[in-house]
Structures are given as structure tokens and as C-alpha cells.
Amino acid sequence: MRKFKRRQFLQATLAATATIGASNLRGFASPSEEHIEAVVIGSGFGGSVASLRLAQAGIETVVLERGRRWEITDAGDTFSTYEKPDGRSTWLSPTTIIFGETPIDVYTGVLDIKVGDGVNVLRGAGVGGSSLVYNGVTYQPTKELFYRVFPRSINYEELDRVYYPRVRSILKPSPIPDDILQSPFYLTSRIVLEQAAKANLKARKLDMNIDWDIVRQEIAGTKVASAIDGQVYYGINSGAKQSLDRNYLSMAEATGFVEIRPLHVVIDIEEANRGRFRVSCNQIDEQGIVVDKKTIVCKYLFLAAGSIGTTELLLRAKNNGKLRRLNNQVGQLWGTNGDTIGTVLTSMQTNPTKGGPAATVIEDFDNPIGPLVVEQLPLPILPEGVYTSLGMAITKPEGSLTYNASTKTADLVWPRNSANNEKIRAAYLDFYSRLNEANGTSLAEELNDNTTAHPLGGATIGAVCNPYGRVRGYRNLFVVDGAFIPGSTACTNPSFTIAALAERNMDRFLNRYRKHKY
Ligand SMILES: Cc1cc2nc3c(=O)[nH]c(=O)nc-3n(C[C@H](O)[C@H](O)[C@H](O)COP(=O)(O)OP(=O)(O)OC[C@H]3O[C@@H](n4cnc5c(N)ncnc54)[C@H](O)[C@@H]3O)c2cc1C
């Protein structure tokens, strides 16, 4: 970090000196502009991978993240809980956005919602991005299903051989150990495995980005009960969730080449002179009040604000004429990953609010209507006797985001009742009818596909970006997050594939960088 600060000082001095002699030149930096070699916007999966790899290559990098840091402490009270939510639960909102609308203080909390037409999107905010609020499922798609979504310009064998293992080597995900699975907290996970077997469905444990030793300590009472209590979406207070701030990002910071700036909301990106980019952001306080405005000029810009955030920044830049060479595909090819919640009514005890995060999956790849998977999840609003699962399928990327000049945000439209989405609903109903028939259970309510936690697309491979995430028309502008992926990660939760593709695309960037081709 010392090296970083010293170089920054030298750069600032040089920029200021140069400005004195050249202040009349069009596009020249104003004294208040900071110059950094690389900027990463957002610190979720794409941003974390990009930051670490830039740092290891010795490239000075600033990460601009709208949310705050969330450090786990021995007090076990970093995050708010479902039972007593406060401002920490939700991004700048007077009420909670899940499990009811409880009034809370307006604060830069961890979970945000994008309300769309046809679907609402949940997403994280904070250093670590959506890994702060996620379930930790680390799930690799099969080759066959992968190519139902992705073009052949992405080599699955290479991902399988090099990039998924590279991500795995840092996150170190593992399945739930049997002693924990056998505890009363994980009763639902066991029921799901048993019911799947009765219905002749393939079920197994998922690889989870969870420290199971900490879960054991929760069970032993030496750590605050959090994962076992089903707390997931506002963060896990025991530290069982291995969010990105505790691996990729801390490794990046340790190099001294990366500075993460929390509570910096990027407002605009634009092309500056000599192929550089100007990034404008608001520094906010924890109540969301703007306390400063800053501008950074960088040579390399990596967009990692998530599917919605990245797409919105690109759409705004296009609308305002700040990135004129963006094509009309920006905002297109967006999808929900087929996220669908189903609730099964049983005649037995299920402990449905306990034992998180999701630990098991049923893989119904041979579903006669279309492949899908279903993962059981604890939710605090469930009554005894039921359990809830989140399903994922292969959606067509029929959604879109368009710029709304009056609100200065992107409007999201998802055709929930399109023929493709009706087909996916039919596939889920087929799955649940087989599961229920074999077990004497039933669906407790209609399937719910009006919310997704897996937004994907908007600046996709082939359409907006080349196969390695470089934005067409711009040599040094890259998309490294979920915006790159057209609507689905092929019957899996997306984070593993987002991170593996980011690793792959950063490798490509750094190879070129080292050969001075950039
Ligand atoms: C509740 C929930 C549970 C999930 N569970 C799983 C799971 O178990 N397994 C799995 O694989 N996936 C899961 N996901 C999905 C997964 O978290 C996302 O697919 C993944 O995090 C997306 O990575 P990303 O890099 O695209 O964006 P994100 O991880 O969302 O990161 C984007 C970051 O950019 C920041 N940002 C946005 N706009 C700006 C701006 N203008 N300026 C500065 N910063 C900005 C955000 O605050 C955020 O930190 C879950 C998601 C949610 C919401």
C-alpha cells in the first residue's frame, strides 16, 4: 500500500505540473482529476477476480464500490438478523425488501432490489458484492448444458481444466460434512435427499463456499447461531460465509497495488483523450448522503457493477454520448437464470427456517420438457411441515434494460409469460408432480418466478463484448461480471461461472498487457 500511495502522490504531482503548462488543451486533466492505471467498478465476483489479477501483475488499481465494508468480529453482530432487521439489512430504503416491509433506518445496507416489469432482482451491495448476501453455492455447469447457453468461442474444456479450479483454489468450497447434515438444523436437507431418492431423481450435496468448522462451532454454541439459524441474505454473523472480502479482495489488497474505496458510487463513465476513461463518482456517507464528488482518469476500465449496475452505466454513457461507439445491443440478452421458487407441503416436521445455506441439489437434467435443478433453502417465513426450494433452468435471454432519461436509471423488462418461460414453468410442474407423487406431498402454493437473485446479461459476449469481455469499439474497456453472460448459467447458480470467466478474461488481458499489445 505504501508503494501505491507514493506512486499516486508522484502521479498527482506530475498531473498538476503538466496542467499548468497545458491547461488550454481540450480534454486535458483538471487538477482535481486523479490518474490511476486501472479502475474496477464493483467488488463482487467479477470485480474481485479482476482486482486480484491486476494486483498480482503489479498494475495500480482502484476499486470503486458503492457499499461499505462488513467485517466479521467476535461480537457476532456485524449484520442485522431476520428477526430484528435494521438499516444494515437493506440498501438505502425506509423498509426491508424481503420477508415483509418492516420500517428501518435508511442506511447503506447489504441487500438491494431492482424493481422491474415482470421480475424483481435482488443484488448485494458492499465490499464483496453479492457474495455478502449469497448462499455460497459453488456449482459448475455440465459441458452439455453449458453449450446450450454459451457460444463455442468459450472453450469449456479450458474452463474445466484451468479456470474453475483456479477459482476453487481460492474459495475452497466443500460439501456439507455428514455430522452437520445429521444435526436437527439440517433436517430439510436430509428430507430432500430422501424424497429425491424415492422419486428416482438424482440428488447430491452441493459444494458450498462455507467454512463448515465455523458451522460446527455454531452448533457447539461457541459462535453465534447464524448459518444454523437459517440467516443468509443479510449476511452470516458467525463468519461461516467465505465472502470475497475475506479471500480474493484481501489477497488483492495485501499486494499493495490495489486500493478499495467503499461508499463510492460511480455515476458516469466516459471516453477521455488518448483512449483513456474518465470515471465520475459520488462519495457517500453511510446514510447515502453525498459528501464528495471525485473523478478518476484511467487507462484500463473494468466494469464489475453486476448485470444491472454495469448495464446501467453503459446505457447512461451511450444515452449521454459519452461512449459513442457502444452498439445497440447494450441492455439486450438479459435473463433470470430461470429462478423459480417452489414450496412443498409434507405431513412431517421439516424445520424449514433452519440449516442454511442451501446444502443439497436435485438435478433433473432429463426432465422431458427441459433440464432444471432444484436446491432447498431455509426461509424465515415458512411454517412447520413445508420446505422451499429454488430452481434454476435455461432461460432464453428475452429480457432487456433500456435507459430512462427522466429517472436516469435503466428500466428492466422481463417477459415472464413468454412461450419459453411458460415452457420452463411446465418443466418445474412436471418435476414437482413426480417428486410429490412418489412422496405423498403437494405444492403448498403456486410456483413463484417473480424474483431473481441471478440477473445475467445486458453487455453480453458476442453482442456487446468480444469473447474475452472487451467492449466492442473500445480497446481498454472490459466487462468482467454477470453482464457478460446471456441470461443463464445453464442450470447452476452463477457465481462460479462468473468468476471462472473473469479469470479467463483477465488471463487474456494480462497476456496482451505483458506483450505490450495494449
Ligand atoms: C440473495 C442472493 C443469494 C445468492 N446465492 C448464490 C449462490 O448461492 N451461489 C451463486 O453462485 N450465486 C448466488 N447468487 C448470485 C451471485 O451472488 C451473483 O451472480 C454474483 O455475485 C454476481 O457477480 P457480479 O460480479 O456480476 O456482481 P455482484 O457480485 O453483484 O457485484 C457487483 C458490485 O458492484 C457494486 N456496484 C453496483 N453499482 C455500482 C456503482 N454504480 N458504483 C460502484 N459500485 C457499484 C455493488 O454494490 C456490488 O458490490 C445470489 C445472489 C443473491 C442476491
Side-chain angles (χ1 to χ4, degrees), residues 436-454:
N436 287 331
E437 203 171 305
N439 289 285
T441 50
S442 58
L443 273 177
E445 54 189 28
E446 276 188 17
L447 297 175
N448 177 347
D449 56 4
N450 59 20
T451 303
T452 180
H454 299 155

Side-chain angles (χ1 to χ4, degrees), residues 77-99:
D77 60 359
T78 302
F79 302 106
S80 71
T81 59
Y82 295 151
E83 293 71 37
K84 259 186 120 180
D86 57 35
R88 292 173 297 169
S89 65
T90 313
W91 178 254
L92 299 179
S93 164
T95 65
T96 54
I97 50 173
I98 53 171
F99 314 134

Side-chain angles (χ1 to χ4, degrees), residues 349-459:
Q349 184 178 351
T350 51
N351 293 353
T353 62
K354 303 285 177 204
T360 56
V361 62
I362 305 177
E363 296 177 325
D364 193 20
F365 294 155
D366 298 325
N367 183 304
I369 304 170
L372 56 86
V373 299
V374 164
E375 296 165 0
Q376 160 269 322
L377 299 169
L379 294 180
I381 45 173
L382 297 176
E384 242 327 322
V386 305
Y387 67 81
T388 282
S389 300
L390 171 66
M392 279 151 269
I394 301 183
T395 34
K396 288 241 161 64
E398 299 174 306
S400 62
L401 290 132
T402 46
Y403 195 66
N404 182 330
S406 58
T407 60
K408 297 191 171 112
T409 60
D411 290 339
L412 170 65
V413 175
W414 175 242
R416 188 142 59 93
N417 296 321
S418 71
N420 290 311
N421 289 332
E422 293 289 5
K423 192 174 156 199
I424 288 175
R425 218 165 285 142
Y428 281 116
L429 288 173
D430 185 89
F431 162 82
Y432 280 110
S433 73
R434 278 177 283 135
L435 183 76
N436 287 331
E437 203 171 305
N439 289 285
T441 50
S442 58
L443 273 177
E445 54 189 28
E446 276 188 17
L447 297 175
N448 177 347
D449 56 4
N450 59 20
T451 303
T452 180
H454 299 155
L456 292 165

Side-chain angles (χ1 to χ4, degrees), residues 65-373:
E65 166 54 54
R66 68 178 171 154
R68 52 159 278 200
R69 278 185 197 268
W70 297 90
E71 268 163 38
I72 301 294
T73 65
D74 287 342
D77 60 359
T78 302
F79 302 106
S80 71
T81 59
Y82 295 151
E83 293 71 37
K84 259 186 120 180
D86 57 35
R88 292 173 297 169
S89 65
T90 313
W91 178 254
L92 299 179
S93 164
T95 65
T96 54
I97 50 173
I98 53 171
F99 314 134
E101 294 186 0
T102 308
I104 49 171
D105 50 313
V106 173
Y107 188 76
T108 45
V110 279
L111 190 64
D112 188 17
I113 193 165
K114 169 78 184 174
V115 175
D117 175 358
V119 75
N120 295 332
V121 177
L122 294 175
R123 52 187 183 146
V127 176
S130 299
S131 77
L132 293 162
V133 298
Y134 90 146
N135 280 283
V137 177
T138 307
Y139 194 1
Q140 181 176 334
T142 65
K143 180 178 171 185
E144 196 220 321
L145 295 183
F146 183 88
Y147 280 125
R148 290 211 204 169
V149 176
F150 291 93
R152 293 274 160 184
S153 55
I154 298 183
N155 181 338
Y156 181 89
E157 270 86 26
E158 185 188 45
L159 284 181
D160 184 48
R161 196 180 64 251
V162 181
Y163 297 113
Y164 283 115
R166 192 172 288 180
V167 178
R168 193 178 279 282
S169 72
I170 291 183
L171 299 183
K172 301 187 178 66
S174 62
I176 184 171
D178 279 333
D179 59 312
I180 297 177
L181 183 61
Q182 293 308 322
S183 73
F185 305 101
Y186 291 86
L187 175 61
T188 305
S189 303
R190 297 201 300 280
I191 290 174
V192 168
L193 291 176
E194 285 159 21
Q195 292 200 340
K198 272 198 199 154
N200 214 10
L201 287 158
K202 192 182 151 216
R204 64 183 179 88
K205 295 176 178 181
L206 285 158
D207 275 339
M208 303 292 298
N209 189 20
I210 294 291
D211 183 336
W212 294 109
D213 276 338
I214 294 183
V215 178
R216 277 197 188 94
Q217 290 168 47
E218 288 189 29
I219 293 173
T222 54
K223 288 263 187 206
V224 61
S226 192
I228 59 170
D229 196 31
Q231 309 282 338
V232 179
Y233 306 123
Y234 297 157
I236 294 184
N237 272 320
S238 64
K241 194 186 292 188
Q242 302 175 140
S243 50
L244 295 163
D245 48 323
R246 303 167 70 204
N247 37 70
Y248 269 101
L249 292 172
S250 54
M251 290 166 72
E253 285 183 296
T255 64
F257 283 98
V258 163
E259 186 183 319
I260 299 174
R261 297 188 186 163
L263 299 172
H264 282 65
V265 186
V266 175
I267 304 301
D268 276 315
I269 52 177
E270 69 176 306
E271 192 174 16
N273 58 350
R274 290 184 289 137
R276 283 168 164 68
F277 297 94
R278 183 173 291 109
V279 180
S280 307
C281 62
N282 289 340
Q283 185 177 355
I284 56 172
D285 66 15
E286 290 181 3
Q287 281 66 43
I289 308 292
V290 178
V291 293
D292 203 357
K293 288 182 177 290
K294 294 179 178 171
T295 306
I296 302 179
V297 173
C298 59
K299 185 162 183 198
Y300 307 108
L301 180 56
F302 295 86
L303 302 179
S307 162
I308 302 286
T310 288
T311 307
E312 190 164 272
L313 285 171
L314 287 171
L315 284 170
R316 190 178 297 139
K318 184 170 166 51
N319 179 77
N320 296 344
K322 307 255 172 105
L323 290 176
R324 290 177 185 277
R325 295 190 299 284
L326 287 177
N327 67 31
N328 288 331
Q329 295 294 306
V330 178
Q332 302 300 306
L333 300 176
W334 186 91
T336 64
N337 206 32
D339 280 15
T340 301
I341 288 188
T343 302
V344 171
L345 179 63
T346 76
S347 55
M348 56 178 117
Q349 184 178 351
T350 51
N351 293 353
T353 62
K354 303 285 177 204
T360 56
V361 62
I362 305 177
E363 296 177 325
D364 193 20
F365 294 155
D366 298 325
N367 183 304
I369 304 170
L372 56 86
V373 299

